[in-house]
Amino acid sequence: MKNQLILLFFIVLLISCSSNNEPDKEVVDDTVSEITYQASTDVISNPERGFMHSWSVASEGAPINLVTLQSLKNENVTIILRLYNLASFKNSDLSAAQLALISTDFQNLRTAGIKCILRFAYNENQNDTDAPLNIIQRHLDQLKPLFTDNADIIAFVQAGFIGAWGEWYYTTNGLTTLANKKAVVDKLLEVLPKEVKIQLRTPLYKQQVFNYSTAIDASVGYGTSDIARVGFHNDCFLASADDYGTYQNVTAEKSYISKEAFYVPTGGETCPPSGIPTASCATAGGEMALLKWTYLNLDYYGPVLQVWRTNSCFKDFQKRLGYRIALKSSTLKKEINTNGSFELNTILSNTGYAPVYNTKKTFLIFRSTANATIYKKELSFDIRKVLPGVDYELKESVSTAGIPAGSYDLLLKIEDASASLSDRSEYAIQLANKDAWETTTGLNKLSHKLIIN
């Protein structure tokens, strides 16, 4: 009997020791859902980014064809560059016919669900004349009402007006002095609504106009001060060691753009390479990532684009130009009480080259599973802050006041900030997740059902 008791004691001791050596087991909270989202591999058509087409038009010429604009969706194109040649008005006001042309273009863009980048010039020949400063300023005053009425479909404005093609070179009116460049920039910023950003042809131009050299940071970049509204366009991207004079101090100025482009847009077109080989896929992708490219011209320079198509990186560039934001995971309560709050806890990623530059409104959508009634709750979340290559934690407490008890699907709506476009799904942001997007509603599914008791 004594031996049996001793044996029993050792068995109990062994079990106890074994239990103490086991790792702590994770406590599963069955009141929450842990959701992991699958990324999409599709090319996604989102506003204000991607490959774009470029169309110039002569003074009092024909408006953009609506059918042509509507067909752009087949190319995943959501943005165009419209260059207005004002050659007939170098010494006079813009005519009623010219203003009507621009107005009609805006109407057609809006109908087609497209946004535009604008540029104005007085010639398309380096040996031709441009307009004097007082005429440029007068024309901008005339254009102001059109800018105000159509700011919602203006993605960005390239500074233009000076020199051939509006590229700030080859001027015949002495417009490339610092005083005149600053006068054009100041007038553009005056007549354009605060939410519209402009782009200058080189980084040095911005530094000269604003008399600074250290890149702006978030404390300035998310505001609407003049310096926070000016980005860059490069019309000879990847074309030579200094991109045909785009850069003076290449390394320093690229570093400067890379920092500023968290807040202001970079885009443009390629050129025939000079003194360097055509940029490989790796080189082009690296430069787009460094400089945070948000759009690139499909129409020029063709041979460079063809190299990328041949080497199978063109589609990757289609996906990554600008922003490409996706849901990664969510931790969400399964049930809450009425007239309380819901804790949104979601991780987002941006695998694009750039952030979103124009402000948007984001809503958490509660959609009844019984009758599809929708309740929209606006978030304080600023999607511009979802930066490339960095996971963003979206944690926000959302009041459920006014939402009756029931079962609800949860969705996100990231819509245009303007009331005129807020209900247009073409202008909403599609998250890059598989089986999440609803084309007709412009909503992104969170793959979660919530019970409100």
Side-chain angles (χ1 to χ4, degrees):
M1 181 66 179
K2 182 178 179 180
N3 290 340
Q4 289 175 331
L5 287 173
I6 292 171
L7 180 60
L8 181 60
F9 170 77
F10 278 110
I11 290 172
V12 171
L13 182 63
L14 182 62
I15 291 172
S16 175
C17 291
S18 175
S19 297
N20 289 338
N21 288 332
E22 285 185 359
D24 292 336
K25 293 182 178 178
E26 183 180 352
V27 177
V28 177
D29 184 352
D30 62 3
T31 68
V32 301
S33 291
E34 300 280 353
I35 307 162
T36 300
Y37 300 98
Q38 186 174 352
S40 170
T41 59
D42 295 338
V43 174
I44 292 173
S45 300
N46 265 323
E48 302 156 6
R49 57 150 299 277
F51 280 106
M52 55 89 173
H53 281 294
S54 176
W55 288 303
S56 64
V57 58
S59 302
E60 300 181 345
I64 307 171
N65 183 274
L66 177 57
V67 174
T68 299
L69 289 174
Q70 290 171 326
S71 71
L72 294 181
K73 66 182 68 174
N74 299 322
E75 299 180 67
N76 297 107
V77 169
T78 66
I79 189 171
I80 69 158
L81 172 67
R82 187 58 159 166
L83 196 161
Y84 292 98
N85 188 332
L86 306 178
S88 297
F89 310 105
K90 295 176 185 178
N91 296 292
S92 66
D93 279 358
L94 300 176
S95 66
Q98 179 64 37
L99 295 172
L101 159 65
I102 299 169
S103 180
T104 301
D105 278 349
F106 282 136
Q107 292 172 21
N108 288 343
L109 286 160
R110 188 186 310 279
T111 300
I114 300 292
K115 290 203 177 190
C116 65
I117 303 155
L118 295 178
R119 191 199 294 185
F120 298 86
Y122 293 97
N123 67 73
E124 296 183 5
N125 184 324
Q126 66 190 54
N127 298 314
D128 205 348
T129 58
D130 53 10
L133 179 61
N134 67 306
I135 291 292
I136 294 172
Q137 292 172 322
R138 173 59 187 153
H139 288 169
L140 281 166
D141 282 331
Q142 288 185 274
L143 291 166
K144 182 177 180 178
L146 284 172
F147 293 154
T148 301
D149 292 344
N150 297 283
D152 53 350
I153 54 169
I154 299 172
F156 315 111
V157 176
Q158 295 182 353
F161 291 101
I162 296 175
W165 301 283
E167 290 187 356
W168 286 42
Y169 203 71
Y170 302 116
T171 178
T172 59
N173 282 280
L175 297 175
T176 53
T177 66
L178 177 55
N180 285 336
K181 287 188 290 189
K182 180 172 171 50
V184 172
V185 170
D186 288 347
K187 191 65 178 179
L188 275 163
L189 292 170
E190 173 196 325
V191 302
L192 285 163
K194 286 285 189 183
E195 65 268 26
V196 177
K197 290 178 167 62
I198 72 170
Q199 296 176 286
L200 298 182
R201 178 62 185 83
T202 77
L204 193 58
Y205 291 162
K206 181 176 180 181
Q207 292 181 348
Q208 291 171 338
V209 166
F210 291 98
N211 191 27
Y212 82 120
S213 58
T214 301
I216 60 175
D217 61 16
S219 66
V220 175
Y222 293 121
T224 57
S225 64
D226 286 352
I227 201 170
R229 295 174 58 199
V230 180
F232 317 96
H233 71 96
N234 181 346
D235 288 344
C236 277
F237 182 52
L238 301 167
S240 73
D242 62 0
D243 284 357
Y244 282 49
T246 298
Y247 306 106
Q248 303 301 311
N249 184 332
V250 177
T251 301
E253 289 167 25
K254 284 184 178 181
S255 175
Y256 155 79
I257 288 180
S258 184
K259 295 170 185 174
E260 287 245 326
F262 283 119
Y263 318 106
V264 294
T266 306
E269 64 187 20
T270 60
C271 267
S274 175
I276 61 171
T278 299
S280 66
C281 289
T283 297
E287 283 285 288
M288 290 181 199
L290 173 67
L291 303 174
K292 300 172 180 63
W293 270 63
T294 203
Y295 66 84
L296 187 64
N297 190 2
L298 267 175
D299 302 315
Y300 194 80
Y301 176 62
V304 172
L305 301 177
Q306 188 56 48
V307 166
W308 300 340
R309 289 187 178 96
T310 301
N311 289 282
S312 302
C313 57
F314 182 84
K315 186 174 182 180
D316 188 52
F317 296 162
Q318 278 185 300
K319 295 177 186 178
R320 299 188 64 192
L321 276 165
Y323 57 89
R324 186 179 175 87
I325 298 172
L327 298 161
K328 288 190 74 174
S329 63
S330 289
T331 303
L332 306 172
K333 281 279 189 181
K334 296 178 181 178
E335 296 187 26
I336 60 171
N337 295 323
T338 55
N339 296 317
S341 62
F342 177 75
E343 301 303 318
L344 180 62
N345 188 354
T346 296
I347 304 295
L348 297 164
S349 67
N350 182 354
T351 57
Y353 294 132
V356 176
Y357 291 110
N358 294 327
T359 56
K360 307 293 176 185
K361 289 184 178 180
T362 302
F363 296 85
L364 181 62
I365 304 296
F366 297 76
R367 186 167 64 192
S368 170
T369 61
N371 56 25
T373 300
I374 280 178
Y375 300 88
K376 292 177 69 174
K377 296 289 182 174
E378 186 169 0
L379 304 177
S380 62
F381 166 59
D382 186 347
I383 198 168
R384 296 178 300 169
K385 297 180 180 179
V386 184
L387 301 177
V390 181
D391 284 354
Y392 182 94
E393 187 176 32
L394 171 53
K395 295 186 75 172
E396 198 162 329
S397 182
V398 182
S399 169
T400 55
I403 304 179
S407 172
Y408 294 89
D409 287 320
L410 297 188
L411 309 96
L412 281 180
K413 174 81 179 294
I414 308 163
E415 65 185 37
D416 199 276
S418 63
S420 57
L421 302 181
S422 61
D423 290 332
R424 300 276 301 272
S425 62
E426 313 99 300
Y427 294 110
I429 290 179
Q430 176 181 351
L431 297 177
N433 292 102
K434 188 174 182 181
D435 301 325
W437 175 248
E438 295 183 351
T439 303
T440 55
T441 64
L443 302 179
N444 297 278
K445 300 173 187 174
L446 286 176
S447 301
H448 181 70
K449 278 188 171 54
L450 174 69
I451 303 298
I452 300 180
N453 295 312

